[in-house]
Amino acid sequence: MSTARRLGVVMDPIGAIAYAKDSTLAMLLAAERRGFALSYLELGDLMLRDGVAFGRTRPLTVRADPEAWFTLGEPVTEPLGRLDCILMRKDPPFDTEYIYSTYILERAENQGALVVNRPQGLRDMNEKVYTAWFPQCCAATVVTRDMGEMAAFLREHGRIVVKPLEGMGGRSIFVLKSGDPNARVVFETLTSYGQRFAIVQRYIPEIATSGDSRVLLVDGEPVPCALARMPSGEDHRGNLAAGARGVGRALDDRDRWLAREIGPSMAARGMMFVGLDVIGGFVTEINVTSPTGIRELDKQFGTDIGALLIEAIARRLDAAQRRSA
């Protein structure tokens, strides 16, 4: 009798998630249906000892029940290499604690676990800066500390978006027009008077009419539908956390071209679940830490995106098993 494969998940407290919207829960439900035995960890459960990655794991059972969606068993400390796969689904902030966790998970990877997304990629791919690796897919962009460069970029383009490199959920995103008397204050605030890098992008007006679309890639291949996040009438930001409304739509030719340009590189580097933020046909961010949107798209289109990811993980595990046989 074969033993069930084990899938661990590193996430924020499962009891505090939003049941109807949480993408990690969708992945776990799909993994349980696929026959994986689930183990649960939070960031504080990870540790290194003499070069070996350990975790305080708890058996996890999940259910499609909005009143009681999980049960946890008793904790056991064990080498993380015993797990077949580990989903790293801890939400940002992407701070030094997050970086330290990727070192531990990289040791788990070295000791036999498939980590999704790959720890080295999580460290390397800042979600805003990494767009620079695909300039053909992006609108005009500058990453700088220099407030004079920002001001010149504003004069050149007339309307721009300014963001911190470490932000998420629409935090501290500013839209400026030429002549805006607040421009200097915004530049000072986001760069700490020239001491921190920030990103400046040409404003893409389609945000107001077609929203900020999340195009999901599963092992480099695009999901056939995207979630267009439509800003509210009182806000310019296309972020659900900032009050935007999620509207599903089918991919268009430009979305598929963007996926072909970016997807193969993501898959090759072990980034199996990636979200491209697309406005007016241009990629503005490449989300690798804990992309969301699964539940909204599954509800609107009848898809099972979590199952697509779990099937892709199973294929990678099968391939690794064949290589080691």
Side-chain angles (χ1 to χ4, degrees), residues 82-225:
R82 290 182 183 173
L83 299 172
D84 295 285
C85 177
I86 301 171
L87 292 177
M88 176 48 165
R89 291 289 299 176
K90 173 71 176 67
D91 285 339
F94 187 86
D95 54 13
T96 53
E97 288 300 302
Y98 192 105
I99 292 171
Y100 297 150
S101 75
T102 68
Y103 294 134
I104 299 173
L105 291 173
E106 188 165 342
R107 293 303 297 156
E109 180 183 54
N110 295 154
Q111 290 146 20
L114 171 67
V115 183
V116 178
N117 284 324
R118 192 175 186 187
Q120 182 180 354
L122 292 174
R123 288 196 303 273
D124 288 353
M125 298 179 187
N126 177 276
E127 299 184 332
K128 297 172 178 64
V129 179
Y130 203 69
T131 58
W133 272 247
F134 306 95
Q136 73 278 19
C137 300
C138 306
T141 301
V142 171
V143 176
T144 184
R145 288 178 164 197
D146 190 320
M147 292 183 285
E149 289 289 341
M150 292 179 168
F153 192 85
L154 176 55
R155 290 192 297 272
E156 178 184 355
H157 292 283
R159 196 173 187 187
I160 62 172
V161 176
V162 191
K163 300 184 282 189
L165 295 183
E166 74 282 1
M168 62 164 288
R171 295 175 187 169
S172 301
I173 296 177
F174 295 88
V175 174
L176 297 172
K177 293 181 180 180
S178 289
D180 192 321
N182 292 306
R184 180 74 183 185
V185 176
V186 170
F187 300 155
E188 290 171 353
T189 300
L190 292 187
T191 68
S192 295
Y193 291 86
Q195 300 304 304
R196 296 172 63 88
F197 285 100
I199 187 167
V200 189
Q201 296 168 321
R202 176 177 66 82
Y203 178 79
I204 305 169
E206 287 86 350
I207 181 70
T209 55
S210 55
D212 181 348
S213 291
R214 171 64 55 81
V215 176
L216 295 173
L217 305 178
V218 175
D219 208 10
E221 293 294 326
V223 171
C225 45

Side-chain angles (χ1 to χ4, degrees), residues 87 115 130 163 198 251 255 308 316-318:
L87 292 177
V115 183
Y130 203 69
K163 300 184 282 189
L251 297 191
D255 297 322
L308 295 178
R316 289 218 177 194
L317 293 175
D318 290 342

